[in-house]
C-alpha cells in the first residue's frame, strides 16, 4: 500500500513539472442543447492539430490546457450539428457552446449512436451506456419502457426471471449493486415486485452501468454501479410529454422559471389496472405511483444549484385484511462551483429512505421497517493538463436501520407493541482518482479510496461465549443458534465495531492502432451493508443489516482484461472481456434460518466466500437504419462456507456450490430498424441457462407423513429460459405540422408463448398416487399498446 501511495505522489509531481517549460493556457466552458439549455454529457471537444481532446462531465463542463497558439476546435455530438471554430489561445478563455439538433425525428436514434459508442483510448473498461432513445425502443412487458429490463440485455447482466426484482452483474448478488439516482442511493429499484422499475424514462438523462474497473469515487457495493442522472429541465420554453399505456400512464412537464437562468421539471407515473378488478368481483389491489421533480438555477458562470427528488410507493392488498406498502423517498441538493477554469467542484446533501409496511388486520397488527441515510459528498475534478485529470473528494453517510416495529391495529387485537432493536452506523470515505494519458498509445487510470465504517451503539447487544453466536452440533452435524450469556447496553454515541479498508483501483488502455486497443483493470471494493434474503431475488420484506461485531464487511478483488475494436469508422464495434472476482465474507445462512423479525440475526449468519469468472462478448451495430447488438456471456458463480474448525462440516460440507444467480450461458440480441419516417420496428431475444434450485432426491415416511429430503445446495436447475419480444412504432406523418406530436407503440412480449418456469414444485397425484412435478409460469404471450405524445 505504501508503494501505491508513492506511485500517486510521483504522478502528482510529474503533473507539476510537466506544466513547466512552455507557456500554456486553458480553454473551458459548458456545452448545452440550444433548444432547451439542457447540459450535454460526453460531448467531444477535439483539437485536431495536437491529436488531443476532452469530453464534458456530468454537468456539461469541459476544460483543456494547451500551449499558446492558434487552433481549430471541433465540437461534436452525433445527432447535433458540429461546431468548427478557429480560436487564438493567448490567455485563459471561457467559451460556452450550444449545439443545435440536426433533424428532430432522428433525435433519439442519433443520440444513441453517440453516447453508446466506446472510446478505445480511455482506460475505463467494463462500462455500458444506454440512451433513453434505446431504452424506449426495447420491447418489455406491458409496453412500459424500463431501465432495469433494458440493462438485462447487456453482457454479464441477468436476473432471476420474470417478475423478479433487482439484477445480477457478473455473478454477483442483487444487494451488491450500488444504484444511484442523482447520486442518491436507491435500495429497491422495482415496482410491483419486479414487473417495473422505479425509473421514469421520460425524466432520465443518462444511464451508465459500471461492471468492473469502477472509479474510486464509487464505493459501498462490490458488484456494480448503476449511475442514473435526471434531466435538469428546459430553461428556454415550456414542454410536456407523456404516455398512456395498458396498465400505467405517465406525464412530464418542464419549463423555465427564469428564462436561461432557472428551470423546473416534474414528472409522475401511476398504474391503474387495479381499478378494473371490481368488475370481475376481485377485492384485491396492486398498483404503484411515483413522482420525479427537479429545480435548477444558474446563479452565475461559476455557480449552479440543483434540487431534485423522487418519491414512489407500491400498494398490494388482499381485501382489507392484508395491505403491503413499500417504496423509496430521496432528496438531493447540489451546488456546482467553479474555483478556476481548471477546478470544478460539486457539493451534495442527500437524503434517502426506504420504507416497508404491512397492515395485517386478520391478526390485528401493523408492521413497519426500513432504512434511512443522510449523505454529504464533496467532489472535485481537476483538469490539470490535456493529458492528466484528477478526481478527488470525500463523503460521509449516516445510516439508521429499523428491522421492524409491531403495532396493534386496534385496541381489541391483544397485540403488544414491540420495536426490534434499531441499528446505527456511519460510513466515511475519501478518494483520489487519476486519468493519465502517458503517451499517444498508453493511457492509465489509477486511484485509491479509503473507507471507514463505524457501527454505533444500540439499545441492546447480545454477548456470546467466545464471541460466537452460532453453535455447531457435532453429533447431528448441524449449525444451531447459540444462547446469549448476557446483554450489554452501549450508548448511541459509542462505537461497537470499526472497519478500515484501502481500496486501490487501476486500469490501463494500450492502443494497438487507430481502431483497436487492449485494456486491463484491477478493482478492490468494500461493502458494509448486507441484504438479509434467502430467496433467489430480493423482495420488499428483505431487511438490510450493517456490518458489526459478528458480521464482517464483504471485500472484493476483481481482475479484467479486454480487447476492443471499432469497425468501419465506428459503424460497428466489438469488445470482449474476461473477468475474475473473489469476494471475502459473503454471508450465508444456516439451514432453517429465520430472517424475518429476528432480533438476533447474528445467530443464523455465517461468513463465507464467493467467486465468479467469465468471458463476455459484445458486437454492436451503431449507425444506420438497422442498429442493435449481440451479447454473449459464459460465466460461473459459486460460493462456499467452510467449517470454522476441523470439527465443523460447514455449509454444503464446505464445498463450492452454485449461487442462486449462476447462469453459465446468457445470450441477448437486440435489433431496431427504422423502415421510414412512419414505421420503426424492434425486437429482442434472450436465452439463459436455467436458475439453480433444489429438488428432492428422495422421501421417507414419518408417522403417516411423506417427508422429502434434499441433496447438496443448488445442485439442480430449472429449465432454460428463453423469450422473444417484438414491437412496432407508428409515427403519423401529420406530426410534422402539429404542435402535439404522437406515436403508437404496439408490443408483443414473449411472442411465441414460452411458458418459462418461475419454479417447479412436487406433489402426489391424487388419482395415480405417483409424485409429479408442477411447473409454475408467470407470463405467456402479452400484447400491449402505448400512446406516447409530446407538446
Amino acid at each position: 500500500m505504501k508503494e501505491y501511495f508513492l506511485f500517486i505522489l510521483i504522478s502528482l509531481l510529474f503533473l507539476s513539472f510537466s506544466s513547466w517549460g512552455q507557456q500554456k493556457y486553458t480553454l473551458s466552458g459548458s456545452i448545452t442543447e440550444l433548444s432547451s439549455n439542457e447540459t450535454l454529457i460526453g460531448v467531444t471537444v477535439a483539437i485536431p492539430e495536437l491529436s488531443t481532446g476532452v469530453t464534458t462531465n456530468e454537468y456539461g463542463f469541459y476544460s483543456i490546457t494547451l500551449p499558446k497558439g492558434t487552433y481549430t476546435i471541433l465540437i461534436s455530438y452525433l445527432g447535433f450539428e458540429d461546431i468548427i471554430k478557429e480560436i487564438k489561445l493567448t490567455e485563459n478563455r471561457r467559451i460556452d457552446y450550444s449545439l443545435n439538433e440536426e433533424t428532430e425525428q432522428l433525435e433519439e436514434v442519433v443520440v444513441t449512436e453517440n453516447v453508446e459508442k466506446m472510446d478505445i483510448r480511455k482506460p475505463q473498461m467494463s462500462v455500458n451506456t444506454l440512451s433513453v432513445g434505446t431504452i424506449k425502443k426495447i420491447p418489455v412487458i406491458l409496453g412500459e419502457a424500463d431501465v432495469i429490463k433494458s440493462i438485462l440485455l447487456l453482457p454479464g447482466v441477468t436476473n432471476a426471471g420474470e417478475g423478479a426484482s433487482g439484477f445480477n452483474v457478473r455473478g454477483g448478488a442483487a444487494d451488491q449493486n450500488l444504484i444511484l439516482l442523482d447520486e442518491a442511493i436507491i435500495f429497491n429499484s422495482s415496482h410491483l415486485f419486479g414487473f417495473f422499475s422505479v425509473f421514469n424514462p421520460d425524466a432520465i438523462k443518462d444511464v451508465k452501468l459500471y461492471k468492473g474497473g469502477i472509479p474510486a469515487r464509487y464505493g459501498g457495493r462490490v458488484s456494480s454501479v448503476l449511475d442514473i442522472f435526471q434531466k435538469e429541465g428546459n430553461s428556454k420554453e415550456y414542454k410536456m410529454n407523456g404516455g398512456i399505456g395498458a396498465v400505467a400512464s405517465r406525464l412530464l412537464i418542464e419549463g423555465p422559471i427564469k428564462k436561461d437562468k432557472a428551470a423546473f421539471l416534474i414528472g409522475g407515473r401511476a398504474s391503474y389496472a387495479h381499478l378494473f378488478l371490481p368488475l370481475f368481483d376481485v377485492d384485491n389491489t396492486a398498483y404503484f405511483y411515483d413522482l420525479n421533480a427537479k429545480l435548477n438555477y444558474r446563479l452565475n458562470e461559476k455557480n449552479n444549484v440543483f434540487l431534485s427528488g423522487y418519491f414512489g410507493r407500491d400498494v398490494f392488498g388482499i381485501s382489507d385484511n392484508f395491505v403491503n406498502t413499500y417504496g423509496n423517498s430521496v432528496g438531493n441538493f447540489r451546488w456546482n462551483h467553479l474555483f478556476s477554469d481548471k477546478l470544478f467542484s460539486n457539493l451534495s446533501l442527500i437524503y434517502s429512505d426506504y420504507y416497508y409496511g404491512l397492515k395485517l388486520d386478520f391478526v390485528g397488527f401493523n408492521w413497519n421497517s426500513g432504512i434511512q441515510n443522510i449523505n454529504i459528498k464533496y467532489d472535485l475534478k481537476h483538469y490539470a493538463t490535456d493529458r492528466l485529470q484528477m478526481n478527488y473528494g470525500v463523503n460521509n453517510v449516516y445510516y439508521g436501520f429499523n428491522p421492524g416495529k409491531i403495532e396493534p391495529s386496534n385496541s381489541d387485537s391483544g397485540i403488544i407493541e414491540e420495536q426490534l432493536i434499531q441499528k446505527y452506523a456511519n460510513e466515511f470515505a475519501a478518494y483520489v482518482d487519476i486519468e493519465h494519458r502517458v503517451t499517444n498509445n498508453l493511457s492509465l487510470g489509477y486511484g485509491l479510496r479509503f473507507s471507514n465504517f463505524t457501527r454505533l451503539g444500540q439499545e441492546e447487544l447480545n454477548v456470546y461465549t467466545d464471541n460466537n453466536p452460532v453453535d455447531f452440533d457435532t453429533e447431528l452435524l448441524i449449525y444451531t443458534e447459540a444462547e446469549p450469556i448476557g446483554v450489554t447496553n452501549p450508548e448511541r454515541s459509542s462505537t461497537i465495531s470499526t472497519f478500515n479498508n484501502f481500496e486501490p483501483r487501476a486500469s490501463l488502455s494500450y492502443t494497438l492502432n487507430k481502431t483497436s486497443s487492449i485494456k486491463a483493470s484491477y478493482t478492490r471494493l468494500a461493502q458494509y451493508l448486507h441484504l438479509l434474503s434467502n430467496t433467489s431475488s430480493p423482495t420488499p420484506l428483505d431487511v438490510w443489516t450493517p456490518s458489526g461485531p459478528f458480521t464482517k464487511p464483504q471485500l472484493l478483488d476483481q481482475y479484467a482484461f479486454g480487447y476492443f475494436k471499432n469497425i468501419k469508422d465506428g459503424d460497428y464495434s466489438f469488445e470482449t472481456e474476461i473477468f475474475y472476482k473473489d469476494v471475502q465474507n459473503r454471508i450465508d445462512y444456516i439451514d432453517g434460518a429465520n430472517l424475518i423479525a429476528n432480533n438476533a440475526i447474528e445467530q443464523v449468519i455465517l461468513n463465507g466466500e464467493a467467486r465468479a469468472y467469465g468471458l463476455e462478448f459484445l458486437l454492436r451495430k451503431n449507425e444506420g437504419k438497422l442498429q442493435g447488438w449481440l451479447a454473449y456471456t459464459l460465466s460461473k458463480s459459486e460460493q462456499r462456507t467452510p467449517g470454522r474448525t476441523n470439527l465443523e462440516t460447514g455449509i454444503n460440507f464446505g464445498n463450492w456450490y452454485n449461487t442462486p444467480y449462476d447462469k453459465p450461458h446468457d445470450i441477448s440480441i437486440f435489433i431496431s430498424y427504422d423502415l421510414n419516417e412512419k414505421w420503426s420496428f424492434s425486437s429482442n431475444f434472450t436465452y439463459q441457462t436455467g436458475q439453480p434450485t433444489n429438488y428432492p432426491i428422495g422421501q421417507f415416511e414419518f408417522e403417516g407423513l411423506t417427508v422429502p429430503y434434499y441433496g447438496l445446495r443448488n445442485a439442480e436447475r430449472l429449465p432454460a429460459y428463453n423469450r422473444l419480444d417484438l414491437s412496432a412504432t407508428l409515427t403519423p406523418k401529420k406530426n410534422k405540422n402539429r404542435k402535439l406530436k404522437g406515436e403508437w407503440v404496439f408490443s408483443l412480449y414473449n411472442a411465441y408463448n414460452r411458458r418459462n418456469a418461475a419454479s417447479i414444485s412436487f406433489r402426489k397425484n391424487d388419482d395415480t398416487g405417483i409424485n409429479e412435478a408442477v411447473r409454475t409460469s408467470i407470463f405467456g404471450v402479452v400484447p400491449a399498446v402505448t400512446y406516447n405524445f409530446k407538446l
Side-chain angles (χ1 to χ4, degrees):
M1 193 57 64
K2 290 181 179 179
E3 290 80 1
Y4 200 82
F5 275 119
L6 183 60
F7 178 71
I8 292 180
L9 179 60
I10 292 173
S11 299
L12 296 177
L13 291 174
F14 173 83
L15 161 64
S16 301
F17 289 113
S18 64
S19 61
W20 296 356
Q22 58 180 318
Q23 201 168 12
K24 293 187 176 184
Y25 298 104
T26 298
L27 175 67
S28 64
S30 295
I31 299 180
T32 59
E33 182 181 347
L34 181 63
S35 63
S36 66
N37 259 359
E38 184 87 29
T39 57
L40 297 174
I41 302 173
V43 178
T44 299
V45 181
I47 311 296
E49 293 93 335
L50 300 179
S51 297
T52 190
V54 70
T55 57
T56 55
N57 70 2
E58 291 85 355
Y59 300 94
F61 179 77
Y62 76 93
S63 176
I64 187 168
T65 300
L66 305 167
K68 178 181 178 180
T70 301
Y71 301 100
T72 301
I73 181 170
L74 170 62
I75 301 174
S76 60
Y77 193 58
L78 289 182
F80 292 81
E81 296 176 357
D82 291 349
I83 293 179
I84 303 175
K85 296 281 187 181
E86 184 176 278
I87 62 167
K88 191 171 184 180
L89 200 60
T90 57
E91 60 181 352
N92 293 334
R93 298 185 64 183
R94 179 184 173 108
I95 306 178
D96 296 332
Y97 293 96
S98 294
L99 300 185
N100 194 25
E101 295 177 50
E102 288 179 336
T103 322
E104 184 176 351
Q105 69 266 21
L106 295 180
E107 172 187 352
E108 290 184 347
V109 179
V110 239
V111 171
T112 298
E113 296 169 4
N114 178 68
V115 301
E116 294 174 2
K117 277 189 178 181
M118 63 178 179
D119 188 337
I120 63 169
R121 294 182 180 274
K122 284 196 170 185
Q124 179 66 61
M125 63 183 298
S126 307
V127 60
N128 294 111
T129 300
L130 286 180
S131 74
V132 175
T134 296
I135 291 170
K136 288 184 175 181
K137 285 185 174 184
I138 295 174
V140 290
I141 183 70
L142 297 171
E144 289 297 311
D146 194 298
V147 171
I148 300 298
K149 296 296 186 292
S150 299
I151 66 174
L152 295 177
L153 297 176
L154 298 172
V157 187
T158 63
N159 76 346
E162 290 165 335
S165 61
F167 57 96
N168 307 105
V169 176
R170 288 186 169 177
D175 70 311
Q176 295 175 336
N177 302 314
L178 178 63
I179 303 175
L180 302 173
L181 178 64
D182 275 352
E183 300 184 300
I185 300 173
I186 300 295
F187 286 96
N188 187 330
S189 61
S190 299
H191 280 311
L192 294 183
F193 304 101
F195 292 119
F196 304 99
S197 77
V198 300
F199 306 109
N200 182 346
D202 290 339
I204 298 305
K205 176 179 180 178
D206 187 66
V207 177
K208 281 190 177 68
L209 177 68
Y210 297 87
K211 301 178 293 186
I214 297 174
R217 66 181 180 272
Y218 299 110
R221 302 293 187 274
V222 296
S223 193
S224 74
V225 177
L226 180 61
D227 197 4
I228 300 175
F229 278 86
Q230 294 186 110
K231 293 165 64 177
E232 296 169 3
N234 192 322
S235 65
K236 292 280 191 181
E237 57 184 339
Y238 293 99
K239 292 286 185 179
M240 179 176 70
N241 65 281
I244 303 171
V247 296
S249 292
R250 63 190 189 279
L251 179 67
L252 183 136
I253 302 172
E254 56 182 327
I257 299 173
K258 185 177 182 181
K259 192 170 182 179
D260 295 330
K261 292 279 287 183
F264 75 92
L265 176 148
I266 184 167
R269 291 189 303 168
S271 65
Y272 38 70
H274 66 288
L275 298 177
F276 303 100
L277 294 180
L279 299 177
F280 305 95
D281 293 326
V282 177
D283 191 20
N284 298 337
T285 58
Y287 64 91
F288 74 86
Y289 58 91
D290 56 33
L291 178 70
N292 298 77
K294 194 165 187 177
L295 300 172
N296 80 82
Y297 188 81
R298 186 180 185 187
L299 302 174
N300 51 47
E301 284 190 346
K302 293 191 174 183
N303 294 279
N304 294 275
V305 292
F306 305 86
L307 182 63
S308 61
Y310 167 86
F311 179 83
R313 283 293 182 266
D314 283 72
V315 179
F316 173 73
I318 301 175
S319 69
D320 291 328
N321 294 321
F322 174 90
V323 180
N324 176 205
T325 305
Y326 64 94
N328 300 278
S329 305
V330 301
N332 185 0
F333 171 79
R334 282 176 290 172
W335 170 37
N336 290 172
H337 177 67
L338 197 61
F339 284 101
S340 70
D341 48 17
K342 290 186 177 183
L343 186 58
F344 179 92
S345 71
N346 179 67
L347 173 67
S348 298
L349 305 176
I350 307 167
Y351 172 80
S352 178
D353 171 83
Y354 174 68
Y355 167 80
Y356 178 85
L358 281 174
K359 178 183 176 183
L360 303 169
D361 272 356
F362 65 95
V363 289
F365 72 85
N366 298 329
W367 168 276
N368 299 288
S369 65
I371 176 174
Q372 298 177 323
N373 74 74
I374 300 173
N375 185 2
I376 301 175
K377 292 176 77 266
Y378 194 46
D379 304 288
L380 299 101
K381 183 158 190 172
H382 188 184
Y383 298 85
T385 72
D386 62 321
R387 289 182 174 268
L388 201 148
Q389 300 173 17
M390 293 188 299
N391 293 279
Y392 44 90
V394 296
N395 76 282
N396 192 85
V397 188
Y398 176 81
Y399 296 99
F401 302 85
N402 176 17
K405 182 179 182 179
I406 298 174
E407 298 175 314
S409 58
N410 57 71
S411 58
D412 300 327
S413 66
I415 300 294
I416 300 175
E417 181 174 316
E418 181 182 359
Q419 171 68 63
L420 298 184
I421 297 172
Q422 299 190 65
K423 301 170 184 176
Y424 307 92
N426 191 81
E427 183 175 354
F428 169 82
Y431 73 91
V432 58
D433 216 355
I434 298 173
E435 188 172 323
H436 187 179
R437 187 178 174 192
V438 181
T439 68
N440 289 337
N441 296 94
L442 178 64
S443 295
L444 301 178
Y446 44 93
L448 182 67
R449 182 182 182 89
F450 169 75
S451 59
N452 166 271
F453 188 83
T454 303
R455 177 73 176 272
L456 303 173
Q458 59 192 51
E459 186 177 342
E460 293 181 359
L461 181 67
N462 290 332
V463 179
Y464 300 92
T465 302
D466 298 327
N467 208 31
N468 189 357
V470 181
D471 287 337
F472 182 75
D473 190 319
T474 55
E475 294 184 359
L476 298 177
L477 300 180
I478 60 173
Y479 288 95
T480 60
E481 301 173 12
E483 288 292 331
I485 59 173
V487 174
T488 61
N489 305 99
E491 295 180 357
R492 174 85 68 85
S493 58
S494 64
T495 298
I496 59 177
S497 290
T498 300
F499 303 95
N500 295 303
N501 282 288
F502 288 98
E503 306 171 36
R505 319 286 170 88
S507 59
L508 69 85
S509 171
Y510 186 79
T511 304
L512 302 174
N513 50 49
K514 291 183 178 180
T515 62
S516 60
S517 67
I518 55 174
K519 299 184 182 185
S521 68
Y522 166 74
T523 305
R524 184 171 178 85
L525 288 159
Q527 178 169 335
Y528 301 100
L529 306 188
H530 314 270
L531 185 65
L532 301 177
S533 174
N534 53 11
T535 58
S536 57
S537 69
T539 69
L541 189 57
D542 297 335
V543 175
W544 290 84
T545 191
S547 298
F550 311 110
T551 308
K552 300 177 182 178
Q554 300 177 62
L555 300 175
L556 164 96
D557 292 288
Q558 179 176 188
Y559 309 85
F561 179 81
Y563 172 75
F564 304 81
K565 184 173 180 63
N566 284 324
I567 305 168
K568 291 189 175 181
D569 294 326
D571 289 358
Y572 297 83
S573 62
F574 173 75
E575 52 190 282
T576 180
E577 294 187 31
I578 57 174
F579 66 88
Y580 179 84
K581 297 167 61 173
D582 177 76
V583 179
Q584 304 173 41
N585 304 323
R586 177 61 185 162
I587 62 172
D588 207 341
Y589 310 105
I590 68 174
D591 291 331
N594 174 29
L595 304 181
I596 300 175
N598 190 338
N599 229 350
I601 199 67
E602 69 273 4
Q603 295 176 350
V604 296
I605 290 177
L606 292 172
N607 289 305
E609 59 182 325
R611 66 184 181 189
Y613 46 91
L615 174 65
E616 298 173 354
F617 295 94
L618 180 62
L619 175 64
R620 302 187 73 140
K621 187 176 187 301
N622 300 306
E623 297 189 7
K625 288 190 172 184
L626 179 68
Q627 297 182 25
W629 65 77
L630 166 65
Y632 172 67
T633 306
L634 173 66
S635 63
K636 189 66 180 173
S637 175
E638 301 173 302
Q639 71 180 80
R640 72 171 177 178
T641 306
R644 297 166 296 182
T645 68
N646 293 331
L647 298 177
E648 296 185 5
T649 58
I651 302 296
N652 200 57
F653 299 103
N655 298 319
W656 290 99
Y657 64 91
N658 297 325
T659 63
Y661 24 89
D662 175 51
K663 305 283 185 73
H665 298 282
D666 178 20
I667 301 173
S668 298
I669 302 172
F670 168 67
I671 297 173
S672 68
Y673 180 69
D674 296 317
L675 179 64
N676 49 44
E677 292 184 4
K678 186 175 180 179
W679 284 100
S680 63
F681 302 91
S682 298
S683 68
N684 54 262
F685 173 77
T686 300
Y687 173 90
Q688 294 177 359
T689 304
Q691 180 181 324
T693 189
N694 296 293
Y695 295 148
I697 61 173
Q699 64 184 38
F700 60 90
E701 298 291 330
F702 179 73
E703 295 184 355
L705 299 175
T706 301
V707 181
Y709 61 89
Y710 297 82
L712 298 177
R713 280 198 184 183
N714 293 343
E716 309 293 339
R717 290 185 181 274
L718 295 176
Y721 180 97
N722 58 88
R723 193 190 75 243
L724 173 68
D725 307 325
L726 305 170
S727 74
T729 301
L730 169 62
T731 305
K733 289 185 177 180
K734 53 188 176 183
N735 264 358
K736 288 185 177 180
N737 303 318
R738 285 183 168 182
K739 194 170 184 180
L740 176 64
K741 304 181 188 302
E743 66 177 19
W744 292 91
V745 180
F746 307 93
S747 64
L748 203 60
Y749 180 86
N750 196 6
Y752 53 78
N753 198 31
R754 164 78 175 180
R755 307 299 293 186
N756 288 299
S759 65
I760 291 182
S761 58
F762 295 84
R763 69 186 181 191
K764 180 181 287 187
N765 188 297
D766 294 335
D767 297 328
T768 64
I770 299 175
N771 291 337
E772 61 183 10
V774 180
R775 175 189 298 211
T776 300
S777 300
I778 298 179
F779 290 116
V781 59
V782 181
V785 179
T786 302
Y787 176 71
N788 297 319
F789 61 89
K790 60 181 178 179
L791 178 63

